[in-house]
Amino acid sequence: MTDVTTLTNQRRSPFGDAMRRMFSNPLTILGAMLVAIALACALFAPWISPYPANAGDLKHFYLKPPSIEHVLGTDDLGRDILSRIIYGAQVSIKVSVLAEGIGLIVGTILGLLTGFYSGSFFDSVIMRLVDILMAFPLLIIAIALIGVLGPSETNLIIALALVIWPFVTRLVRSQALSLREVEYVSAARTLGATDLRIMFRHILPNAITPIVVYGTLGIASVILSEAALSFLGLGTTEQTIPSWGKMLNESRAFMRTAPWLPFWPGLAILLTVVGFNLLGDGLRDALDVRSQ
């Protein structure tokens, strides 16, 4: 009986064990559900929204409170709030995922290079630039960049990616500094492996866990930044697709007469951010074997 149990435990993969640890936490399951709902809204908005995002009826549905016809009410142009929140997930998810993805790619490459070639002129230049960028608040740098580039969805993604990569670079560099001295890296170098092969074949796979966790948690911060920039009028200029931050901006004049206008997009931002944070915490606990 002991032998069978031992063999069964040996066949269990580390990935499977991590997933079991991750989804044994109710908060992680809640976070995954919230993220799944946000992703479903972003991907299937035209099919699941009850009305088109900009279909309004000013004559019959001006500032209509929540009802059977409009579950979350309507705005000052008679547009359905639920439909606009569903469509607004497209902007938040698209901008956050693309900006975080670009920042992760750039930061990971620079972090590997600066960590592997620590002490070089390239390392000094990149890390001084990182120190300068990290000395300023993320949102202030993004506002300045969009002020120079102009408000648009593409420029919003670029601005947010440019303020993400320094944090990723510092994280990956610290991992590369510790991993470049381990035995298997020394063995690979002795066998004639190139620097690129050592970095991407031996160092990066062993540093991927903190990168994945940081990326998941970082999406929540980018969603908040995108909403703040859209609220300030520095987000997407696309009129056909709403964004949650822009909806908050448009509802400022009706906070007393129609309090449901700012409440629902604010709640959508809150739940999405909480979902990514809970999912990131679950990933961190599941992938870090030292916490078990």
Side-chain angles (χ1 to χ4, degrees):
M1 185 67 178
T2 303
D3 294 338
V4 174
T5 304
T6 303
L7 290 174
T8 302
N9 291 334
Q10 289 176 349
R11 292 190 186 124
R12 291 167 61 179
S13 65
F15 177 78
D17 290 339
M19 290 300 99
R20 277 186 286 271
R21 289 195 299 269
M22 178 176 171
F23 289 105
S24 63
N25 187 345
L27 291 178
T28 304
I29 297 175
L30 175 61
M33 291 174 60
L34 292 174
V35 170
I37 292 172
L39 291 175
C41 291
L43 294 174
F44 306 111
W47 295 278
I48 63 177
S49 62
Y51 301 95
N54 292 303
D57 188 345
L58 190 58
K59 182 178 180 180
H60 297 95
F61 298 111
Y62 173 78
L63 293 180
K64 186 179 180 65
S67 62
I68 296 177
E69 293 175 316
H70 300 279
V71 178
L72 302 185
T74 62
D75 62 7
D76 56 317
L77 296 178
R79 298 173 297 189
D80 183 67
I81 298 298
L82 176 59
S83 300
R84 290 178 63 77
I85 287 178
I86 292 174
Y87 274 94
Q90 292 182 332
V91 176
S92 294
I93 298 298
K94 178 182 178 181
V95 170
S96 60
V97 170
L98 288 179
E100 189 71 25
I102 295 172
L104 284 176
I105 293 172
V106 174
T108 298
I109 293 174
L110 292 177
L112 285 174
L113 292 173
T114 54
F116 193 82
Y117 298 112
S118 176
S120 64
F121 176 75
F122 175 78
D123 174 46
S124 299
V125 171
I126 296 299
M127 294 315 297
R128 296 299 75 75
L129 179 60
V130 167
D131 292 337
I132 293 172
L133 291 175
M134 292 182 66
F136 296 92
L138 181 150
L139 195 58
I140 299 300
I141 299 178
I143 290 173
L145 289 172
I146 295 176
V148 174
L149 299 174
S152 71
E153 186 176 281
T154 301
N155 291 341
L156 180 61
I157 294 172
I158 294 173
L160 290 174
L162 287 176
V163 297
I164 289 171
W165 73 263
F167 299 90
V168 182
T169 299
R170 184 174 288 278
L171 171 66
V172 177
R173 181 179 183 271
S174 65
Q175 296 291 315
L177 283 173
S178 61
L179 290 172
R180 70 174 185 171
E181 304 298 335
V182 297
E183 291 79 2
Y184 56 82
V185 172
S186 300
R189 188 181 290 110
T190 302
L191 293 174
T194 63
D195 291 349
L196 285 178
R197 179 175 177 81
I198 292 174
M199 283 188 284
F200 290 96
R201 178 66 179 84
H202 300 286
I203 295 179
L204 180 58
N206 291 281
I208 201 68
T209 295
I211 298 174
V212 171
V213 173
Y214 180 86
T216 306
L217 293 171
I219 289 178
S221 298
V222 178
I223 290 175
L224 285 175
S225 299
E226 183 276 328
L229 291 170
S230 296
F231 179 82
L232 296 174
L234 298 175
T236 175
T237 57
E238 180 65 46
Q239 298 298 323
T240 58
I241 299 179
S243 70
W244 294 337
K246 188 184 297 183
M247 291 176 66
L248 286 173
N249 187 11
E250 294 171 349
S251 64
R252 288 183 301 165
F254 307 97
M255 293 186 67
R256 295 196 178 192
T257 57
W260 60 87
L261 289 186
F263 176 78
W264 296 118
L267 182 63
I269 296 171
L270 172 65
L271 293 179
T272 305
V273 169
V274 168
F276 276 104
N277 280 329
L278 292 177
L279 184 60
D281 289 340
L283 279 172
R284 180 196 59 204
D285 295 339
L287 297 176
D288 186 6
V289 295
R290 292 174 296 181
S291 66
Q292 304 304 314

